Amino acid sequence: GVELDHAQDILADLISTVVTALRPGFRLAKLEGDAAFMAAPADKLDGSTLLDTIERCYFGFRRRRRDVRQATSCECNACVRIPDLNLKFVVHVGPVARQRVFGLEELVGADVIVVHRLLKNSIVETTGVSAYALLSQASTDACGLDPAPLGMRPHAETYEFIGEIAGWVDDLERRWQEEDARARVRVAPEDSV
């Protein structure tokens, strides 16, 4: 019981961190288990803003994950595994429609299906990157991004009935390590008071 309660609390805390960090540019369309489905009008985002938002969100997630783990002395499986939690982003652009079902508004359309399929990908297995942003080629084109000079890797997935979806992988763990190294202040023993 404790483990289930802690798992729910941890997940709720981290999802809240993610959703808050993605605002105001993105709007929560739906919570889907341990995922937040966010949406934004494509004409309101440029590439720089998109990447800054993803980085800010991931860095906030990493800081919050660290803080939550450091603040607990519980040894249940949920609390012990906090450092194993990670974040993945999928960015795609395409037309959608809004549909009301039982009082809830849903985004629907072929490109919504593409996003959900892109969540089931082979990135971890093929690249070893466990925290990433996968940007479809359609999204990089729409945002005016040139991903190769930014250090992103090309990646493609093929799905039945959809075909190949080309895209780019941004290694967020690498970016976090760079950020964390910049943010650290080291004081040598001879310089300490």
Side-chain angles (χ1 to χ4, degrees):
V2 169
E3 186 172 316
L4 183 57
D5 287 344
H6 287 187
Q8 288 177 318
D9 291 345
I10 292 163
L11 185 59
D13 185 295
L14 293 174
I15 285 181
S16 175
T17 299
V18 168
V19 170
T20 301
L22 291 173
R23 288 184 180 149
F26 290 86
R27 181 180 70 79
L28 178 64
K30 184 179 180 185
L31 288 176
E32 299 176 343
D34 64 351
F37 183 30
M38 309 288 290
D43 62 345
K44 301 274 191 234
L45 284 179
D46 64 34
S48 178
T49 302
L50 174 66
L51 294 180
D52 288 348
T53 301
I54 290 171
E55 261 190 20
R56 184 182 69 242
C57 180
Y58 186 68
F59 294 170
F61 168 84
R62 286 298 298 261
R63 287 183 191 100
R64 186 66 188 145
R65 186 184 81 177
R66 177 192 60 212
D67 295 349
V68 168
R69 180 61 190 140
Q70 288 175 346
T72 185
S73 58
C74 179
E75 292 300 320
C76 77
N77 196 42
C79 292
V80 168
R81 297 200 58 210
I82 291 171
D84 298 337
L85 299 174
N86 227 324
L87 207 51
K88 299 170 176 92
F89 294 83
V90 171
V91 180
H92 183 62
V93 65
V96 298
R98 297 182 190 284
Q99 178 181 40
R100 241 187 215 293
V101 179
F102 298 112
L104 301 173
E105 186 177 88
E106 296 271 340
L107 295 179
V108 295
D111 286 294
V112 173
I113 294 168
V114 168
V115 169
H116 283 88
R117 294 281 174 90
L118 285 171
L119 287 168
K120 299 188 181 354
N121 59 58
S122 62
I123 292 171
V124 174
E125 297 79 20
T126 60
T127 68
V129 175
S130 61
Y132 59 82
L134 170 59
L135 287 77
S136 69
Q137 186 66 52
S139 69
T140 60
D141 291 347
C143 290
L145 280 174
D146 187 2
L150 298 172
M152 294 184 198
R153 303 178 195 182
H155 183 80
E157 293 286 340
T158 303
Y159 301 100
E160 187 177 17
F161 306 116
I162 294 175
E164 184 176 278
I165 305 291
W168 296 86
V169 176
D170 191 9
D171 183 346
L172 297 175
E173 177 64 30
R174 179 180 54 83
R175 295 206 187 279
W176 167 252
Q177 296 299 331
E178 292 167 356
E179 173 71 12
D180 196 40
R182 269 194 308 272
R184 277 196 197 129
V185 176
R186 299 193 190 278
V187 179
E190 62 273 10
D191 296 330
S192 65
V193 176

